[in-house]
Amino acid sequence: DVCSSDLVKRMRQIPGLDVLLNRAREAGVFGTKMRAVIEANSPTGIAAIVDQQFEVAAKITSAGLMPILEPEVSIDFKDKAEAEASLKDALIARLDALPLDQEVMLKLTIPDFPNTYRDLIDHPRVARVLALSGGYTRDEACKRLAMNPGMIASFSRALINGRSEE
C-alpha cells in the first residue's frame, strides 16, 4: 500500500499471518522481518510506518519470534538525513513504550551521518541494529558501516552488486 501524500510505502496486509508465524516457530525460526520504505522526510508518513511495524512486531513477539523492523530509508533523495532523524525519534518513542521484557531488532539503512542511530543501538529494548545497504555498492556500504560502530552488516543488494551468473 502506498500513502502517496506521505511519500512512504507501508507493508501490505499479510493474510494468514498468525498461521505463518506459528509454522515459523515450529520450524525453529528465530525471527522475521517486515519491510517498509521511506522516500521523503514526512514525519506523519514515518510515524505511520513505525506504528505499523510495531503493530506487526507485537504479533511476531506473541508467536514467540523476534521481530525485525525494517523501515528502509531510500538512499536517493536529498533530505535523507532529516528522514533518518525523524525515523530515529519515532522509533525511540515506540521503543520507550514497550514492556521491559520485550525486545526488537532494527534493520536500518546506513545513515548519512555517523552514529545517527547510537541511541537505538544502546536502547535496552533493542537486541541488535542491523545495517542494510539500501542500494549502496558493497564498497560504499562497508565504508559507511565502518563509521557506525555497533551496527552489524546485513547486506544483500551490496553483496550481489557486480556478481555474474556462471
Side-chain angles (χ1 to χ4, degrees):
D1 297 321
V2 176
C3 300
S4 59
S5 63
D6 291 329
L7 297 172
V8 299
K9 293 180 183 174
R10 291 188 237 168
M11 297 179 296
R12 291 187 203 107
Q13 295 298 319
I14 306 169
L17 179 60
D18 294 335
V19 172
L20 291 171
L21 293 173
N22 288 330
R23 280 184 36 213
R25 183 187 66 250
E26 290 168 4
V29 171
F30 173 73
T32 186
K33 69 176 185 151
M34 53 212 127
R35 180 174 175 263
V37 180
I38 298 166
E39 297 178 329
N41 183 27
S42 167
T44 57
I46 291 169
I49 278 180
V50 169
D51 287 345
Q52 182 188 40
Q53 296 261 311
F54 274 87
E55 288 167 16
V56 177
K59 292 179 182 181
I60 293 168
T61 298
S62 293
L65 301 171
M66 173 62 73
I68 305 168
L69 287 66
E70 187 178 350
E72 179 178 347
V73 177
S74 175
I75 64 170
D76 296 323
F77 65 92
K78 66 180 172 133
D79 58 345
K80 178 179 177 275
E82 290 84 0
E84 291 164 346
S86 296
L87 175 61
K88 181 179 87 168
D89 291 343
L91 287 168
I92 288 174
R94 290 303 301 259
L95 288 165
D96 287 345
L98 282 179
L100 295 175
D101 63 341
Q102 287 186 13
E103 285 186 321
V104 300
M105 292 176 73
L106 303 172
K107 187 171 179 180
L108 305 172
T109 309
I110 303 169
D112 277 359
F113 295 109
N115 292 313
T116 294
Y117 296 134
R118 184 84 246 168
D119 294 340
L120 297 171
I121 292 165
D122 295 335
H123 198 285
R125 311 278 187 309
V126 176
R128 296 279 186 270
V129 176
L130 308 170
L132 78 100
S133 58
Y136 291 119
T137 64
R138 181 177 47 229
D139 289 343
E140 180 66 17
C142 288
K143 181 176 121 185
R144 287 171 172 267
L145 180 61
M147 295 185 293
N148 288 279
M151 288 187 89
I152 299 167
S154 179
F155 302 162
S156 53
R157 281 175 270 184
L159 293 177
I160 61 171
N161 281 351
R163 181 176 157 225
S164 61
E165 297 298 321
E166 296 185 31

